[in-house]
Structure formats: C-alpha cells, structure tokens
Amino acid sequence: EQHFATNEILKGKKVLVTAGPTREKLDPVRFFSNHSTGKMGYALAEAARDFGADVVLISGPTSLPSPAGVQTIRVESAQDMYENVMNHFHDSDIVIKTAAVADYRPKYVADNKIKKQQEDYTVVLERTVDILQTLGKQKTHQFLVGFAAETNDVERYAKDKLARKNADMIVANNVVQEGAGFGTDTNIVTLFKRDGTEKQLPLLPKSEVAKEILREVHREIEGRL
Ligand code: CTP
Ligand code: CA
C-alpha cells in the first residue's frame, strides 16, 4: 500500500457548522433578523470538507448555494437551529457556531398580517435559547468554537463569552473594522483559547481564515491526545 502526503488533517472527524442569520417571525409577512450573510460559516464548512471531515452545515436563510459534499440543513428561527444542532451534537467532534443567532424573538406571533394603526407600536420580545451555552453545559468530547462579532471591547467580551459558554475557542472580530464583518469576503479575527492565549490573524480572505481556524482547532485536539 502506498501512502501519499495528505492535508486531510480532519479525516474521520465529524464537524458541525452553523451559519447565517436566523429569522424570528412577527406575523406571516414580517420577521426580525440581522446582517449575517453566512459567508464565514460556509467557508468553514468547505474548508472542513477539504480537510477530509464529514461536515453538517446548519444554515439560516442565506443566498449562498449549499456546498458540494456537505450535508446542508436549512433552518429559519433560533429554535429551529437549536433543535437541528441538538440532533447532530452528540456524534460531532468539532462544533463551530458561526451563526448570528437572534437573542430575542417576538413573544406573540400574529396569525394574520398586522395592520398599521397607532403612531407608536411596541413589540414585546422574549429571549431565545443560547445554543452555544447549552452545548457548553452538555459537551463530553466535543471541541466547541464560538464566534463573537463585536463593535467595541473585543478582547473583554470574547474572554467573557469563552468562560460563560464553556467554549474551547472564541473567534472574535471587530465588525466595524475595514475588511471585517458582515458581507465582506475578508475578515480580521483573533482566536481566544482556554489557556488564556490568543492568536491574531492578519486580514485574509474568509476561505483562508477558515483554514487557519481549523488548523488551530486541529492542533488543540492533537494536544489533548
Ligand atoms: N449563540 C448561540 N445562541 C444564541 C446566541 C448566540 O449559539 N442564542 C452563539 C453564536 O453563534 C456565537 C456565540 O454564541 O458563536 C456568541 O454570540 P454573540 O451574539 O456574540 O454572544 P451573546 O452571548 O449573544 O452576547 P451579546 O449578543 O450580548 O454580545
Ligand atoms: Ca447575541
């Protein structure tokens, strides 16, 4: 048997990626959402596939095509995403939560289109489930990667999320920085790890950011063996 050099560093690993925004319905024609386009999450799913992993991508509504060779599940709300993530969590080795999950949803969803009436209109929102925090409580062998899109105090918030959600890594980016954030093809991120160290990556295409994140995850998993 001949052996070839391979960069299939994630061969045999099951990788679960979430991507895109969620939509929280207000009535049959309206919803609350955010500016996530899914590019970073889809890039991660494709990079994990290229590194030889079995990849499940759970995606909120995006305009991106489903990546070839990746099991893609389309969802709408935070609750839908939560349920689908839980179905795939236990046999995953690496979970990467790139999705921009809504923190709140309308408490009351109207059956019919809401008609305009008064000048002021108040919508009551309620909290959604924090998917990553739930995974952090339930994890056994899974390596958990969260994302943090911040506009200020990136380091403080990233470290807080690492601890609060019991994640193994937080990928943080300042979304108001040029070349980073929503809808761009590039990103500038810092990886915050459990041991308190951090790794800053330069401005890179999201495809390259994805590979660097997965290489770092691979090194961390190897270090555990
Ligand atoms: N996340 C999640 N479920 C939620 C909210 C967030 O799984 N309901 C995940 C995101 O996918 C991301 C990480 O948690 O990987 C951090 O998301 P972020 O919105 O930055 O953190 P929050 O805890 O919601 O804090 P805040 O929005 O107040 O900064
Ligand atoms: Ca949030």
Side-chain angles (χ1 to χ4, degrees):
E1 199 190 334
Q2 224 180 331
H3 290 271
F4 297 97
T6 176
N7 60 358
E8 296 204 319
I9 57 174
L10 297 179
K11 196 159 187 70
K13 300 284 185 213
K14 288 198 190 294
V15 177
L16 177 59
V17 180
T18 70
T22 64
R23 283 184 185 174
E24 308 301 331
K25 279 168 81 88
L26 177 64
D27 73 9
V29 300
R30 303 183 178 95
F31 55 82
F32 288 86
S33 193
N34 60 65
H35 287 297
S36 172
T37 59
K39 282 181 182 172
M40 192 64 242
Y42 280 57
L44 275 157
E46 289 172 354
R49 173 202 65 199
D50 293 344
F51 281 149
D54 291 326
V55 185
V56 175
L57 171 64
I58 299 178
S59 174
T62 71
S63 59
L64 302 173
S66 302
V70 169
Q71 185 190 341
T72 304
I73 301 168
R74 305 262 175 186
V75 300
E76 289 250 328
S77 65
Q79 186 62 28
D80 291 344
M81 183 171 280
Y82 170 69
E83 287 165 17
N84 280 278
V85 166
M86 295 320 289
N87 285 341
H88 290 273
F89 179 54
H90 294 284
D91 58 346
S92 294
D93 300 297
I94 301 166
V95 182
I96 309 181
K97 286 245 53 207
T98 324
V101 184
D103 294 327
Y104 294 93
R105 66 175 164 231
K107 187 165 182 177
Y108 309 103
V109 181
D111 290 333
N112 298 316
K113 184 186 168 193
I114 297 165
K115 302 305 286 181
K116 66 173 174 285
Q117 290 174 35
Q118 65 276 44
E119 286 302 311
D120 294 330
Y121 178 59
T122 304
V123 177
V124 178
L125 301 176
E126 65 180 6
R127 286 279 293 271
T128 57
V129 61
D130 190 319
I131 304 169
L132 184 57
Q133 192 157 24
T134 307
L135 300 183
K137 285 184 184 135
Q138 294 190 12
K139 74 175 175 185
T140 50
H141 64 288
Q142 295 88 348
F143 191 93
L144 280 188
V145 182
F147 268 70
E150 308 290 353
T151 58
N152 58 285
D153 295 318
V154 176
E155 176 164 357
R156 179 162 67 89
Y157 288 130
K159 286 183 169 169
D160 172 65
K161 283 170 191 172
L162 192 62
R164 183 158 46 89
K165 297 176 190 249
N166 195 27
D168 297 288
M169 188 187 292
I170 291 285
V171 179
N173 64 160
N174 187 330
V175 291
V176 293
Q177 215 174 346
E178 187 76 32
F182 297 119
T184 57
D185 288 317
T186 56
N187 210 350
I188 308 167
V189 306
T190 305
L191 314 184
F192 291 89
K193 300 192 288 180
R194 279 312 277 206
D195 62 5
T197 63
E198 56 197 73
K199 182 171 184 176
Q200 208 172 328
L201 301 182
L203 174 76
L204 290 169
K206 284 181 173 170
S207 56
E208 293 300 319
V209 173
K211 286 188 219 163
E212 284 303 321
I213 291 167
L214 292 171
R215 287 192 191 106
E216 194 63 32
V217 169
H218 173 248
R219 277 192 286 270
E220 291 286 316
I221 291 173
E222 294 278 281
R224 284 178 172 187
L225 300 177

